[in-house]
Amino acid sequence: MAEGFVDDENLEAIVTRIEQKSRKIESLLKQSKPVEALKTALEGSILKTRDERCKSANWIVVHRAIMAIKDVDAMLSYLDPEYYDILMKYLYRGLATGDRPTCDQCLKIHEKLTEKAGLGCILRSLADTVNTV
Amino acid sequence: MGRSGGGDDIEGWNRALCSGRVVAFCPNNHEVHIYKFFGEKWERIHVLQKHDQIVSGIDWSIKTNKIVTVSHDRNSYVWNQEASEWVPTLVILRLNRAALCVQWSPKENKFAVGSGAKTVCICYYEQENNWWVSKLIRKKHNSSVTSVAWHPNNQIAQLDLSFTWAFGVRWSPSGNTLAYAVVAFCPNNHEVHIYKFFGEKWERIHVLQKHDQIVSGIDWSIKTNKIVTVSHDRNSYVWNQEASEWVPTLVILRLNRAALCVQWSPKENKFAVGSGAKTVCICYYEQENNWWVSKLIRKKHNSSVTSVAWHPNNILLATTSTDGKCRVFSTFIKGVDSRDSGLNFFPWKGSGSGASGDVKFGEQIAQLDLSFTWAFGVRWSPSGNTLAYAGHNSMIYFIEDVGSSPKAQNVALRDLPLCDILFVSEKMVIGVGFDCNPMIFTSDETGLWSFVKFLDERKIEPSSSKYGSQLSEALGKLYGQSKGANSDTVESSRLRGGAHENCISCIIPLRKPGESVVRRFSTSGLDGKVVIWELDNSIGIPQ
């Protein structure tokens, strides 16, 4: 039952997929749909790979979507609960950057997400050392 | 009408007193309700409202007809009945923590209050000033005073022990009729204490002293009445009751790390020990040599074995480990287990391993890789068809049909992780852990498991934040704003009103003989409390 990890040949495929996602998100943001953009960014984010470049590429895409969110409550009510854990992991990655605007935004979302999803969500993002973002 | 009894603890929620046909109790809030039995039913005749927080202790004096109440608000009131009203008199206890228990002295001229301030208050009435004075016993206690009891001579208040941790709790096989007669536990040291419930209170009847370090696991076999203890000193003792003493027999486990958990097998002829040495010891009794032999399962585990659970067929053992995996092993021992006992469980093994079909000792049947974090508290359902264990990532995993085609379900918890679980019936599980509150999980008709509710219904004051003041202070600092729970409303209260105040580490069933569904169980935790729970009829147990 262990998760299989992808080998190098498929890395290119993953990077292509991320680029496609990035373009889609840009267009969604232009249409002022930040919440949908975030959902698109989080979809397929559980990358079955240990490659740091893929993770970084995905992080850039998710980061763009996170920074574009203005109404956090609306975003959380729209987002499916299955994405809470993965969003929490990205929030911690954002907090780890130390960059002021990123951290402010991540903290804002963190507060609301914790209220909505509970402490279990935080625990899962901390405890899972295998599926990291 | 005579008085029926003194203060009685019911499920740790209400404190109730019976004085003939009148009852006074606190319905888990800041009031005291008095009910009288009229002919056929109970009617509420008085409500005593004066405290601000939950009333933790009530005592009603027989001769002088006074009620004394103490509360988490650190106050005490003595209520006198004037005409048809109960009139309160404040007693200033001078406590800076909650009061936890109270009892009138036999002559009813004094009462004793135990508190979380590590003090005991003895209060008496001063005639000249017409008020109650409180004298404090500040010395000696290192933690909260959980109960007080007066000696009949009115002079010595015999105070109960205040444990810092209650480690492993096991119940004796007998005495499930009236009360929970005997309990054995380790109070966070190298001893095992056995307490018996005599009529109204607990008395220590035995102390088992043989281990050198903390006793990490205890199990009491129902039919053979043996206690097995394991300890961090890498040893295990099997205790037999001879006359009125418990006699230990050393079992050499051959471990080079601490033993962490132990469980008797269903037939009670073997027991399994999980250890920090990444091994599991299966011990059985060798009649010829009159000693217990230990066989080790050394393979497979990559880290400490935190919990073990026997399948009802007495052969299969499930283990959880801090390497995140749950494994099922065969513990078939020639001479101890009969050949046909495990056959029906391995349908997929039938063709491969030869005609006999029995599986070698120590062979791994299944490995479950569902959790990426530490795993605890594995248990089989009563039929052995379902396996469940808790992960440290706030998840609980249910695996159905382990023997044939395993189907796993991951249930994510909203709050903090679980430490131990219990199968109440085939379709209902109770989990306990860092939330200090047992959680109920049930499986519906389609076999889907989900969280139902917390067992301990606590009142959450609307003003304080959901998580209690300590966490919201921390979160407040994190978010860098002044939250609603600012310094004025942040009292010393955390989420109060619950039975446990710290992580619950262990849950044990109290089985009535012949009952397949568990209606009563006990939980023990890091707050040193042992709480007995009863599932009342409002919680339907799906079978």
Side-chain angles (χ1 to χ4, degrees), chain A residues 1-3 85 107-108 110-112 114-121 123-124 127-131, chain B residues 368-370 372-373 392-395 406 408 412-417 467 471 475 478-479 481 483:
Chain A
M1 291 191 194
E3 304 283 326
D85 287 350
L107 268 178
K108 226 168 56 160
H110 185 282
E111 184 185 343
K112 298 280 161 87
T114 311
E115 247 180 74
K116 198 150 193 206
L119 296 173
C121 183
L123 264 158
R124 274 186 289 282
D128 193 352
T129 51
V130 175
N131 297 320
Chain B
L368 302 163
D369 250 333
L370 301 167
F372 300 111
T373 59
H392 211 54
N393 54 349
S394 286
M395 302 268 276
L413 304 177
R414 196 191 152 75
D415 295 298
L416 300 175
Y467 295 106
L471 181 57
L475 285 175
L478 176 67
Y479 302 134
Q481 306 150 2
K483 310 287 297 153

Side-chain angles (χ1 to χ4, degrees), chain A:
Chain A
M1 291 191 194
E3 304 283 326
F5 277 77
V6 200
D7 52 17
D8 287 320
E9 292 129 44
N10 294 338
L11 282 181
E12 289 308 316
I14 295 176
V15 174
T16 319
R17 204 155 37 100
I18 295 176
E19 280 171 8
Q20 278 176 342
K21 245 200 315 191
S22 173
R23 284 193 284 271
K24 207 163 142 201
I25 284 168
E26 288 299 330
S27 74
L28 281 171
L29 287 176
K30 284 204 183 79
Q31 298 165 40
S32 302
K33 288 188 184 157
V35 184
E36 292 215 22
L38 182 59
K39 180 146 182 272
T40 315
L42 292 176
E43 262 165 16
S45 280
I46 305 176
L47 299 175
K48 291 186 163 71
T49 172
R50 288 196 186 93
D51 184 59
E52 275 310 313
R53 291 169 301 163
C54 288
K55 289 194 198 286
S56 299
N58 207 50
W59 160 241
I60 293 170
V61 171
V62 174
H63 178 243
R64 177 98 180 78
I66 286 180
M67 293 311 285
I69 299 278
K70 298 280 180 286
D71 186 352
V72 184
D73 292 311
M75 181 266 286
L76 284 178
S77 51
Y78 177 81
L79 199 64
D80 287 328
E82 58 185 284
Y83 290 111
Y84 288 166
D85 287 350
I86 187 82
L87 175 60
M88 186 59 87
K89 288 185 188 171
Y90 276 113
L91 288 180
Y92 275 101
R93 179 151 183 174
L95 291 172
T97 60
D99 170 53
R100 196 56 199 262
T102 311
C103 288
D104 279 344
Q105 178 77 341
C106 286
L107 268 178
K108 226 168 56 160
I109 303 180
H110 185 282
E111 184 185 343
K112 298 280 161 87
L113 184 59
T114 311
E115 247 180 74
K116 198 150 193 206
L119 296 173
C121 183
I122 298 182
L123 264 158
R124 274 186 289 282
S125 64
L126 290 174
D128 193 352
T129 51
V130 175
N131 297 320
T132 55
V133 293

Side-chain angles (χ1 to χ4, degrees), chain B residues 190-229:
Chain B
H190 57 279
E191 302 170 338
V192 175
H193 292 204
I194 302 183
Y195 275 67
K196 192 165 172 150
F197 195 67
F198 284 106
E200 275 184 29
K201 54 188 181 62
W202 291 93
E203 274 183 36
R204 187 168 67 193
I205 49 173
H206 294 117
V207 176
L208 311 180
Q209 278 169 318
K210 209 73 174 108
H211 285 290
D212 301 320
Q213 291 187 39
I214 200 172
V215 177
S216 45
I218 311 174
D219 202 10
W220 201 328
S221 63
I222 307 177
K223 293 167 257 181
T224 51
N225 195 37
K226 290 199 219 296
I227 298 180
V228 61
T229 59

Side-chain angles (χ1 to χ4, degrees), chain B residues 142-217:
Chain B
N142 294 321
S143 190
S144 302
V145 179
T146 51
S147 99
V148 293
W150 286 94
H151 191 277
N153 67 6
N154 211 55
Q155 297 235 327
I156 308 165
Q158 182 183 325
L159 304 163
D160 204 6
L161 301 170
S162 49
F163 310 109
T164 51
W165 286 24
F167 220 121
V169 182
R170 289 297 180 274
W171 297 95
S172 86
S174 66
N176 270 330
T177 50
L178 248 194
Y180 319 99
V182 194
V183 60
F185 59 86
C186 164
N188 204 29
N189 59 12
H190 57 279
E191 302 170 338
V192 175
H193 292 204
I194 302 183
Y195 275 67
K196 192 165 172 150
F197 195 67
F198 284 106
E200 275 184 29
K201 54 188 181 62
W202 291 93
E203 274 183 36
R204 187 168 67 193
I205 49 173
H206 294 117
V207 176
L208 311 180
Q209 278 169 318
K210 209 73 174 108
H211 285 290
D212 301 320
Q213 291 187 39
I214 200 172
V215 177
S216 45

Side-chain angles (χ1 to χ4, degrees), chain B residues 404-453:
Chain B
S404 42
S405 52
K407 291 186 288 271
Q409 280 178 50
N410 305 0
V411 178
L413 304 177
R414 196 191 152 75
D415 295 298
L416 300 175
L418 298 175
C419 289
D420 202 0
I421 64 174
L422 171 70
F423 268 93
V424 162
S425 75
E426 199 60 34
K427 287 187 178 294
M428 183 156 148
V429 165
I430 306 234
V432 291
F434 291 94
D435 278 313
C436 317
N437 200 345
M439 300 186 190
I440 305 179
F441 298 88
T442 50
S443 150
D444 63 13
E445 314 83 48
T446 63
L448 198 68
W449 287 89
S450 61
F451 170 69
V452 176
K453 62 170 184 162

